[in-house]
Amino acid sequence: MGTFFNGANCDIYIGKGAGKKLLDDITNAKKSVKVISPYLSPALINELIILHSKGIKISLITNDTIEDFYGNYEKNIFKLIQQHRTLDSSSNELRNKWIGFEETIRYIFFGFLAIFVFALFLFKSFKTLYLLFPLILIYLLRKMLLSKIKNKRIYNYSYSQLFLFKVYISPTNIKNDSSTFVHGKIYIIDDEIVYMGSLNFTANGTKHNYETRIRTIDKIAVDTIIKEYNELFNNSGFPERNIQDWGKQLYNEPIN
């Protein structure tokens, strides 16, 4: 993994607003957008979500700065990682049987309690207190059933991505000297246009900072960069955030 290419025809831009044409090309994409950026702005992630909703194929590589997915955009992370809940039919059937049994026990308990109170006032005998023992046993049985009903898991959860993305773990978060920080910035539009440079996929990077970027439609260069992108996405070997574990951190998972 790693690419060297010489002789590509390209446009060069240096200065503020280096991302204006990039954002225009992304907005006007017809088929696909691929992004590598270690830092992200919620507003720009939202633009990718909008493009996805229009049928544009989106692919993203970034780092595990999870807060970059947040903002005043209905928490984009909950759009990018979607929760799916499935019902375990056999567990649900067993739980329903326990609920029915508990209901019967409840009627027996309150019926027996009424009998006990009635007998206590009617006979006013110490022996009436012996009725407390079965009453206590019924109460404990019902309490046990309620606990089993409360703790019985009937739902299983899984998570999927809205569109393809990889979130690699930065060396600072795993404290591993051999790990690699994915710091490159590459933007591929419709597999025909490539941007590279210093600008991140952020509002500051694309609009306000003094940045450098090149733009090329050189087919050989574009095809070479696409190959490198696919290699990074599919065969990097870098540690990455697991979508299932991440989903479990983000979402509640009621068991029933």
Side-chain angles (χ1 to χ4, degrees):
M1 191 171 58
T3 297
F4 172 80
F5 186 84
N6 191 23
N9 292 318
C10 63
D11 300 327
I12 298 173
Y13 185 96
I14 302 173
K16 294 180 66 174
K20 183 181 185 304
K21 191 168 180 59
L22 165 65
L23 295 178
D24 288 341
D25 281 341
I26 287 177
T27 300
N28 295 319
K30 299 295 188 294
K31 297 180 296 184
S32 64
V33 174
K34 300 179 177 74
V35 174
I36 301 176
S37 177
Y39 304 105
L40 307 164
S41 283
L44 296 184
I45 287 297
N46 201 52
E47 288 301 313
L48 295 183
I49 293 172
I50 291 171
L51 286 174
H52 170 79
S53 71
K54 295 178 178 179
I56 305 301
K57 186 176 181 180
I58 306 296
S59 178
L60 170 67
I61 297 173
T62 189
N63 288 297
D64 60 342
T65 48
I66 185 171
E67 64 273 13
D68 288 336
F69 286 118
Y70 290 85
N72 298 320
Y73 295 88
E74 299 178 2
K75 293 188 176 179
N76 286 326
I77 189 66
F78 290 101
K79 297 177 184 177
L80 295 175
I81 299 177
Q82 300 178 327
Q83 185 186 68
H84 307 281
R85 186 176 74 174
T86 56
L87 178 67
D88 186 327
S89 299
S90 58
S91 295
N92 187 49
E93 183 178 351
L94 179 59
R95 184 173 182 271
N96 285 336
K97 287 181 179 178
W98 289 347
I99 290 173
F101 189 31
E102 185 279 326
E103 186 176 332
T104 301
I105 294 295
R106 189 189 336 142
Y107 288 138
I108 293 174
F109 175 79
F110 285 111
F112 209 89
L113 181 63
I115 293 172
F116 170 73
V117 173
F118 179 78
L120 189 64
F121 280 95
L122 181 65
F123 298 109
K124 296 181 181 179
S125 170
F126 180 78
K127 292 182 179 180
T128 307
L129 295 178
Y130 287 119
L131 293 174
L132 277 175
F133 292 107
L135 195 62
I136 291 171
L137 289 175
I138 295 171
Y139 169 80
L140 293 175
L141 177 60
R142 179 170 177 261
K143 186 177 180 181
M144 180 192 71
L145 275 171
L146 288 172
S147 177
K148 289 172 70 69
I149 291 167
K150 179 181 178 181
N151 295 305
K152 182 62 177 176
R153 174 177 288 277
I154 64 171
Y155 293 119
N156 297 314
Y157 295 88
S158 63
Y159 299 89
S160 65
Q161 300 173 326
L162 178 66
F163 53 72
L164 289 175
F165 63 86
K166 286 287 181 74
V167 179
Y168 291 119
I169 302 174
S170 65
T172 56
N173 288 335
I174 58 175
K175 297 179 181 179
N176 185 342
D177 293 336
S178 64
S179 60
T180 300
F181 184 63
V182 179
H183 195 252
K185 296 89 176 178
I186 301 175
Y187 308 90
I188 307 169
I189 297 98
D190 292 333
D191 289 344
E192 296 175 353
I193 306 170
V194 169
Y195 287 82
M196 295 190 296
S198 64
L199 64 160
N200 287 296
F201 201 53
T202 62
N204 285 334
T206 55
K207 297 177 182 179
H208 307 304
N209 294 346
Y210 183 93
E211 303 279 4
T212 62
R213 68 108 171 121
I214 66 168
R215 178 185 187 272
T216 183
I217 57 173
D218 185 308
K219 180 169 173 42
I220 298 176
V222 169
D223 289 347
T224 301
I225 294 166
I226 290 172
K227 183 179 178 181
E228 175 67 19
Y229 181 94
N230 292 337
E231 190 71 13
L232 178 62
F233 195 98
N234 297 309
N235 302 305
S236 72
F238 298 155
E240 61 186 85
R241 292 294 297 265
N242 179 279
I243 190 69
Q244 302 304 320
D245 293 339
W246 202 354
K248 290 179 182 299
Q249 294 174 26
L250 291 171
Y251 285 91
N252 292 324
E253 293 187 347
I255 63 175
N256 53 52

